[in-house]
Amino acid sequence: MELFNTLTRKKETFSPINAPNVGLYSCGPTVYHYAHIGNHRQTLFTDLLKRVLTFNNYKVKHVMNITDVGHLTSDADEGEDKMLKGAKREGKTVWEIAEYYTQAFKKDLKNLNVIEPDVWCKATEHIKQQIEMIQKLEKNGFIYEAGGNVYFNTSKCKDYGKLAKLDLNAEQQARIETDPNKKNKHDFVLWFTKSKFQDQEMKWPSPWGQGYPGWHIECSAMSSHYLGEQFDIHTGGRDLMPVHHTNEIAQSESAFNKKPWVKYWMHNEFLVMGKDIKMSKSDNEGFITLDVLQKKGYDPLSYRYLLLGTIYRKPMAFTYEALDAAQNAYNKLKQKVLEMIQSPEEGEDTNAETYIEEFQTSINDDLNTPKALAAVWDMLKNEKLNNNKKYKTLLEFDHVLGLGLAKIDIEELPEEIKTLIEKRDHARLHKDWGESDKLRDEIQAKGYTVKDSKEGTKCTKA
């Protein structure tokens, strides 16, 4: 199994620290608004990775954070507080906003057939761990206090920026205008005691004063609390790499004196709309949620199918035309499942090893789902392969694809449709092909598909 490691910029053979156990941490949502479908590209990428690891018999412990405090609209300790922004927008407390949008996110995960993480961890419920980590950094000489806040001193971290390949020598290191308290441009806040937001509701006591944590410290503290001071995989969107993940590495390796803190860093690319337009909550026109898609008549799993058609490390342009094609393909796949259930004995060959090998080779090549889907369709088109074998193999594949194919079953047909089928069977028996075609069209117009087989007419909901 090979995975692309952002840290080394190459594919590497996956070798966990303590096989067969795998520690996996993924950056979850900042719960001040609904997640948009661009956010869910990261959600589904991590779910795919977890499913592929499980398919390869690894035992995965997955931890995901809920950011309900400490995240400003700029990753660099600048701009508005996202939680306050959401609270003011809706006239609620930040606590109410956090709970509402946490539940909305979890609902999306269920609709997308995402396996929930083993551990959900809220930043507000792990203040103790964050304070303890800052104290480790203080003991190791990596912090300074200025203007009432506690900062991480990046100049003390000699390999700062290695994940994003930052050229620190080429950048101006003068104190930046937006925060004159910083000694270096890339320094960041670990703990705020002098908030620029006087109506900040979320505050806790600390050795440095009443306040709240910076955004970056929460992920380091919580992931290490649940997965240990070194673990296997950290995932996130590409936008998190230059600042958030870079700062996570710096503070974690400085606190624990262990390198590497994380062995494999994996990032998905953006979902874009039109030409190079990133999906963003600040762009109302481009802010498409899963609920928006559902109201337009799309199955959430059609969106999941759409993402499977592009490798996670490539940018993906979203269009409704592409989603239409994905929904049609997904419906066709479900129809194939019903046909296999209805006619399990069709086909004689029971050897599906070629397809199994192609599928596993594809997903183990850095999660190459387009090739994996091609192997699925090649198998389904093979009329010589026994339907029962196809069905069982497809369900094994779906442990990775996550399209909910095991839940598809034959529905009881309405009496009206049963009557039309009987009339059509009678017409076919008497070779009245014109009447047979007319009845088939009538059945299809009512939303059902008709297929003739050795066992007789097969009819399912379209």
Side-chain angles (χ1 to χ4, degrees):
M1 182 177 177
E2 289 196 326
L3 301 174
F4 185 87
N5 189 349
T6 307
L7 191 62
T8 61
R9 300 297 196 273
K10 64 182 180 180
K11 287 184 188 179
E12 297 179 6
T13 300
F14 180 63
S15 177
I17 296 168
N18 185 29
N21 301 302
V22 175
L24 169 63
Y25 183 82
S26 54
C27 283
T30 301
V31 284
Y32 75 107
H33 212 318
Y34 294 107
H36 57 58
I37 59 173
N39 299 139
H40 283 313
R41 189 177 193 195
Q42 176 184 332
T43 307
L44 290 168
F45 149 62
T46 300
D47 187 59
L48 171 66
L49 171 63
K50 181 164 58 175
R51 288 170 177 272
V52 170
L53 289 166
T54 303
F55 195 80
N56 282 275
N57 298 316
Y58 289 110
K59 297 178 181 179
V60 182
K61 182 177 181 180
H62 178 205
V63 179
M64 180 186 288
N65 73 301
I66 294 291
T67 296
D68 52 359
V69 66
H71 191 178
L72 306 186
T73 51
S74 164
D75 293 346
D77 304 326
E78 302 163 22
E80 299 175 272
D81 181 300
K82 287 189 174 184
M83 297 306 300
L84 276 175
K85 182 180 179 181
K88 290 176 180 178
R89 181 186 65 240
E90 300 183 26
K92 298 177 181 178
T93 69
V94 287
W95 301 96
E96 290 170 336
I97 287 291
E99 180 59 24
Y100 179 83
Y101 287 111
T102 295
Q103 295 308 316
F105 181 76
K106 290 183 177 182
K107 180 183 176 183
D108 280 358
L109 263 58
K110 185 176 181 180
N111 287 331
L112 289 166
N113 199 29
V114 169
I115 301 169
E116 284 204 17
D118 300 288
V119 178
W120 288 103
C121 47
K122 292 183 178 181
T124 53
E125 294 176 355
H126 295 79
I127 299 299
K128 175 177 176 287
Q129 288 79 9
Q130 294 171 69
I131 289 174
E132 289 174 349
M133 189 167 186
I134 298 171
Q135 288 176 316
K136 285 186 173 72
L137 289 168
E138 185 174 38
K139 181 181 178 182
N140 293 344
F142 284 92
I143 76 167
Y144 61 91
E145 295 181 57
N149 296 327
V150 180
Y151 292 84
F152 181 87
N153 190 343
T154 56
S155 68
K156 296 287 187 73
C157 185
K158 301 307 178 186
D159 56 357
Y160 179 81
K162 59 186 175 183
L163 179 69
K165 309 296 184 190
L166 298 179
D167 185 357
L168 302 183
N169 293 327
E171 298 187 21
Q172 184 180 3
Q173 292 298 299
R175 292 168 10 163
I176 58 177
E177 184 178 342
T178 52
D179 189 347
N181 295 312
K182 290 185 179 183
K183 292 182 178 180
N184 310 289
K185 176 179 178 180
H186 294 283
D187 292 354
F188 53 92
V189 177
L190 298 167
W191 189 267
F192 289 95
T193 63
K194 296 292 184 182
S195 171
K196 67 182 86 173
F197 313 108
Q198 298 306 313
D199 50 354
Q200 176 72 29
E201 293 180 56
M202 296 179 166
K203 291 185 180 181
W204 295 265
S206 82
W208 312 281
Q210 188 86 354
Y212 63 99
W215 174 38
H216 310 299
I217 193 68
E218 70 174 70
C219 284
S220 290
M222 292 191 294
S223 61
S224 299
H225 176 67
Y226 290 104
L227 298 174
E229 293 183 357
Q230 288 181 302
F231 59 93
D232 298 294
I233 307 175
H234 194 312
T235 67
R238 184 175 68 84
D239 55 319
L240 298 179
M241 178 181 62
V243 179
H244 182 50
H245 289 170
T246 287
N247 291 346
E248 278 191 69
I249 290 175
Q251 64 195 5
S252 300
E253 294 185 351
S254 299
F256 303 135
N257 293 314
K258 289 184 178 179
K259 295 183 181 182
W261 172 53
V262 172
K263 194 171 182 181
Y264 303 92
W265 286 86
M266 298 184 68
H267 296 89
N268 62 280
E269 263 288 354
F270 291 132
L271 184 77
V272 297
M273 296 189 70
K275 185 178 180 182
D276 300 328
I277 304 174
K278 188 180 73 165
M279 188 81 67
S280 171
K281 291 186 178 72
S282 62
D283 176 10
N284 291 328
E285 185 178 346
F287 184 37
I288 302 173
T289 64
L290 200 62
D291 187 57
V292 168
L293 296 186
Q294 288 177 281
K295 287 178 179 176
K296 288 179 177 289
Y298 294 101
D299 187 326
L301 294 182
S302 296
Y303 178 64
R304 184 177 186 121
Y305 188 98
L306 174 66
L307 294 187
L308 291 172
T310 301
I311 295 172
Y312 77 94
R313 285 196 294 116
K314 292 186 176 181
M316 180 178 172
F318 175 83
T319 64
Y320 282 108
E321 290 79 6
L323 187 57
D324 286 337
Q327 180 139 297
N328 289 337
Y330 180 51
N331 287 338
K332 183 179 178 182
L333 182 59
K334 292 191 289 184
Q335 182 61 38
K336 289 284 186 182
V337 170
L338 290 172
E339 291 172 6
M340 289 184 285
I341 293 173
Q342 287 184 315
S343 306
E345 301 307 319
E346 277 193 14
E348 299 177 359
D349 188 5
T350 59
N351 184 6
E353 291 304 314
T354 298
Y355 304 109
I356 295 171
E357 184 178 333
E358 287 178 5
F359 183 87
Q360 186 152 14
T361 298
S362 298
I363 60 172
N364 284 353
D365 180 15
D366 196 31
L367 319 183
N368 192 326
T369 48
K371 282 190 175 181
L373 279 179
V376 169
W377 285 107
D378 284 346
M379 179 186 74
L380 295 177
K381 291 173 185 175
N382 185 348
E383 296 181 358
K384 294 181 181 179
L385 187 61
N386 175 263
N387 268 354
N388 190 48
K389 183 65 176 180
K390 278 185 189 177
Y391 178 69
K392 289 181 178 179
T393 304
L394 181 60
L395 293 191
E396 285 298 311
F397 292 166
D398 199 44
H399 287 310
V400 171
L401 303 176
L403 296 171
L405 301 180
K407 298 176 184 178
I408 298 172
D409 205 350
I410 300 171
E411 296 180 8
E412 182 67 22
L413 296 173
E415 289 301 319
E416 177 189 17
I417 301 300
K418 289 180 180 179
T419 300
L420 290 172
I421 291 171
E422 289 173 4
K423 288 181 179 179
R424 183 171 182 272
D425 285 344
H426 180 78
R428 286 175 58 79
L429 182 64
H430 292 84
K431 299 185 178 180
D432 187 348
W433 308 121
E435 180 67 10
S436 171
D437 290 346
K438 178 183 174 183
L439 289 164
R440 180 197 62 208
D441 292 343
E442 188 175 348
I443 294 168
Q444 290 178 340
K446 294 181 181 296
Y448 291 82
T449 60
V450 177
K451 182 182 177 183
D452 299 314
S453 69
K454 296 176 183 177
E455 291 84 7
T457 302
K458 305 297 180 183
C459 181
T460 55
K461 184 74 174 175

